[in-house]
Amino acid sequence: MSEDVLSGLLRRIRLRGALFFHVECAGTWVIEAPASVLISGTVLPASEHLMEYHVVLHGTCWAGITGEPSFEMNAGDVILFPHGDAHVMSCAPGLRAEPDLPFLIANLKRRAGLPFMVHQQDNKRVRPATPHDETDISQPVATLLCGFLGCDLGPFNPLLTSLPRIIHARASELSENSWTGQLARLAQAESGARRPGGEAVLERMSEMMFVDLIRLYLSTMPKTQTGWLAALKDRHLSRVLSLMHSQPAEAWTLEKLLSHAGLSRSALQERFVELIGRPPMQYLRCWRMQVASNLLVESNAKLATIAHKVGYESEEAFSRSFKRAVGQAPATWRRERSFHELR
């Protein structure tokens, strides 16, 4: 049941993969990535939020959020930055380099959507915390697959708010047939062959990798964890969430939901607020607005039709609720998002 709720949410927030770098790193090397908000308009203009990930295909490296402690990564490991934090990948802890934003954006525009090779050997731009090692730069010491995932940020994306700033999955924690492992193997093959359709395959597999990472994070969350993902693990709340997500047009009342939750009225209210931060009926209104926003962008349906699909009896009532939640009338929202989709 929880997986179904998660799948439905991922569809509604329009998760999508994009653009891959196949990076070979040699010698003493460091790559400092800027905050994703600075490049999202180039990578995925139609997405409101951009996440970056790295898969270690070969060798070892160190990774972490800029200005914070880093940790070692080995072949088969993957790291995801769900909130788009600026971060550093390097051959040793403590290395820094100014992000070359103009160079990065120029290459994103020039090679958008195609895997390509980069050799990071310019030691002049490295500011190490320890002296440079005299390393042979003739062979790469690490090979990385770097990619992006985009999604809608609003009007309601409870998944992002429940994710940590970093998800680090070790190779030993991933199954042999995981999407992450398959993505790594395919990326290595595609980087040399560049067969027709390879980009689309990598994009879809990166989306499946994201699901792998969320499942892994779910399985390791402590019982005391709060947030939307924690609610998916709660047997009472997961039933209610499944009903809300699968049937947003239903005329739900708290009494109707109670019959499925197996909790008292006060217990259900308290549990929702404790884990998700809002009571159930308020959550339902937020989810309906997310479904509506998705339909506004992804379909040509009339406002009255969309209103009915998200549980409103009239277009006027829906428009008032949407504007109150989003700050824009549905027609304005649709027009502005459609313009970005065409960019």
Side-chain angles (χ1 to χ4, degrees), residues 149-330:
L149 289 156
C151 67
D152 290 341
L153 194 57
F156 185 57
N157 185 340
L159 174 60
L160 274 183
T161 58
S162 66
L163 291 178
R165 295 174 69 191
I166 290 177
I167 295 179
H168 174 209
R170 295 175 176 82
S172 59
E173 298 172 316
L174 298 165
S175 67
E176 184 178 344
N177 296 320
S178 70
W179 287 106
T180 304
Q182 294 183 52
L183 174 64
R185 288 189 292 271
L186 183 63
Q188 286 180 308
E190 291 294 338
S191 65
R194 296 191 181 178
R195 295 171 294 180
E199 176 194 345
V201 172
L202 288 173
E203 289 174 356
R204 298 294 82 75
M205 290 190 72
S206 68
E207 294 163 14
M208 296 307 300
M209 178 199 71
F210 181 77
V211 178
D212 264 353
L213 297 179
I214 299 303
R215 285 174 171 169
L216 178 63
Y217 179 67
L218 265 170
S219 68
T220 58
M221 279 197 321
K223 292 183 178 180
T224 55
Q225 185 80 26
T226 60
W228 186 79
L229 284 173
L232 294 190
K233 298 182 69 174
D234 184 288
R235 65 188 181 92
H236 301 289
L237 267 59
S238 64
R239 295 174 190 165
V240 176
L241 289 173
S242 180
L243 292 170
M244 290 179 174
H245 280 243
S246 62
Q247 303 173 54
E250 181 70 24
W252 294 113
T253 63
L254 193 57
E255 286 67 30
K256 284 185 179 181
L257 294 173
L258 287 173
S259 65
H260 298 277
L263 291 172
S264 68
R265 183 187 184 95
S266 61
L268 180 62
Q269 294 265 33
E270 290 172 4
R271 196 75 177 134
F272 252 80
V273 173
E274 177 188 357
L275 290 184
I276 302 180
R278 63 189 76 215
M281 299 311 292
Q282 185 184 111
Y283 179 93
L284 176 61
R285 287 193 294 272
C286 292
W287 174 241
R288 284 172 167 171
M289 293 303 100
Q290 181 59 41
V291 174
S293 69
N294 180 253
L295 292 172
L296 286 168
V297 176
E298 296 288 313
S299 76
N300 294 319
K302 295 181 179 180
L303 292 185
T305 301
I306 293 175
H308 179 72
K309 287 185 175 181
V310 295
Y312 288 83
E313 294 183 357
S314 71
E315 179 182 332
E316 291 74 18
F318 163 66
S319 295
R320 286 195 300 271
S321 185
F322 191 90
K323 186 173 183 179
R324 186 164 52 248
V326 177
Q328 289 181 312

Side-chain angles (χ1 to χ4, degrees), residues 16-21 34-53 101 104-114 116 146-151 199 203 340 343:
R16 59 181 70 179
L19 191 64
F20 303 89
F21 295 90
S36 65
V37 67
L38 298 177
I39 57 174
S40 59
T42 302
V43 178
L44 274 174
S47 291
E48 297 172 336
H49 182 71
L50 192 67
M51 300 174 274
E52 190 167 353
Y53 67 87
L101 193 57
L104 177 59
I105 291 178
N107 277 277
L108 289 171
K109 290 180 177 178
R110 181 169 60 88
R111 304 296 292 273
L114 295 174
F116 66 94
C146 309
F148 300 93
L149 289 156
C151 67
E199 176 194 345
E203 289 174 356
H340 287 294
R343 288 176 56 188

Side-chain angles (χ1 to χ4, degrees), residues 29 56 59-63 71-74 89-92 141-142 144:
W29 63 273
V56 182
T60 62
C61 67
W62 289 75
F71 47 87
E72 190 173 18
M73 295 182 65
N74 299 294
M89 308 289 293
S90 60
C91 62
V141 295
L144 311 176

